C-alpha cells in the first residue's frame, strides 16, 4: 500500500481550473442573457415598425380606393380612358398587396418574439402524423 505524500500541486491546479471554468460559465451566461435581451429588443422594435407600416399602408389603401372610385366615375362620364381605369385598379391592388405584406411581416415578428420568450405553442407547428 502506498500513500502519496506529495502530488506535485495537482489538487491546487484542479481547484484553480475548476474556478476558472466556473468564471467562464458565468461570463457565457451573462453574454447569452445580453444576446437574448438584444434579440427581444430587436423583435419589439420590428413589431412597432410593422404596426406603423400597417397603419400607413391602411391609409394608402383608403386613398387608392378613393382614387379608383373617382376614376370609375370619370370613366363612366367619358372623362378618363380605359387605361386610366386599369391603372387605378393596379394602384389599388398594389396598395392592398403592401397592406397584406405588412400584416404578414407583423405576424412573423410577433412569432419570433413568442419564440424568443418561450411562449410559442410549438405543437401547432408540428406535422400531424
Amino acid at each position: 500500500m502506498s500513500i502519496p505524500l506529495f502530488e506535485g500541486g495537482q489538487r491546487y491546479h484542479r481547484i484553480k481550473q475548476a474556478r476558472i471554468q466556473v468564471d467562464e460559465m458565468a461570463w457565457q451566461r451573462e453574454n447569452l442573457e445580453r444576446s437574448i435581451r438584444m434579440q427581444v429588443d430587436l423583435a419589439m422594435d420590428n413589431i412597432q415598425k410593422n404596426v406603423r407600416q400597417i397603419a400607413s399602408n391602411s391609409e394608402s389603401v383608403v386613398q387608392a380606393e378613393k382614387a379608383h372610385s373617382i376614376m370609375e366615375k370619370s370613366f363612366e362620364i367619358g372623362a378618363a380612358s380605359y387605361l386610366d381605369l386599369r391603372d387605378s385598379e393596379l394602384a389599388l391592388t398594389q396598395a392592398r398587396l403592401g397592406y397584406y405584406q405588412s400584416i404578414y411581416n407583423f405576424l412573423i415578428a410577433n412569432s419570433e418574439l413568442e419564440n424568443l420568450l418561450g411562449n410559442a405553442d410549438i405543437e401547432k407547428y408540428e406535422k400531424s402524423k
Side-chain angles (χ1 to χ4, degrees):
M1 177 169 18
S2 68
I3 301 174
L5 298 175
F6 181 69
E7 295 181 356
Q10 290 178 356
R11 183 175 178 197
Y12 170 76
H13 288 292
R14 279 183 280 169
I15 291 171
K16 189 175 180 180
Q17 185 64 34
R19 285 185 183 145
I20 290 171
Q21 288 175 345
V22 168
D23 288 343
E24 284 179 355
M25 285 191 285
W27 292 330
Q28 287 174 351
R29 178 184 173 150
E30 185 179 327
N31 189 29
L32 182 61
E33 287 174 356
R34 284 185 193 147
S35 175
I36 290 173
R37 233 180 278 124
M38 183 184 69
Q39 289 176 352
V40 167
D41 289 343
L42 180 63
M44 293 294 292
D45 287 345
N46 283 339
I47 288 172
Q48 291 171 356
K49 179 187 79 166
N50 288 319
V51 166
R52 289 189 302 270
Q53 190 69 38
I54 288 170
S56 173
N57 287 342
S58 175
E59 184 62 31
S60 295
V61 169
V62 169
Q63 290 177 0
E65 286 173 344
K66 287 179 184 177
H68 179 64
S69 175
I70 291 169
M71 194 56 64
E72 280 181 330
K73 298 296 180 190
S74 297
F75 179 72
E76 287 174 8
I77 62 171
S81 69
Y82 184 72
L83 184 59
D84 293 332
L85 179 63
R86 291 296 165 227
D87 283 343
S88 70
E89 286 178 2
L90 177 61
L92 178 58
T93 302
Q94 288 175 336
R96 286 180 179 158
L97 177 63
Y99 174 72
Y100 296 137
Q101 184 67 42
S102 62
I103 290 174
Y104 172 78
N105 290 340
F106 169 79
L107 293 174
I108 294 295
N110 196 31
S111 296
E112 288 175 357
L113 179 62
E114 284 180 353
N115 195 19
L116 276 171
L117 297 176
N119 299 335
D121 184 15
I122 302 299
E123 294 174 3
K124 71 181 179 182
Y125 299 110
E126 293 178 352
K127 293 182 181 178
S128 58
K129 293 181 181 181

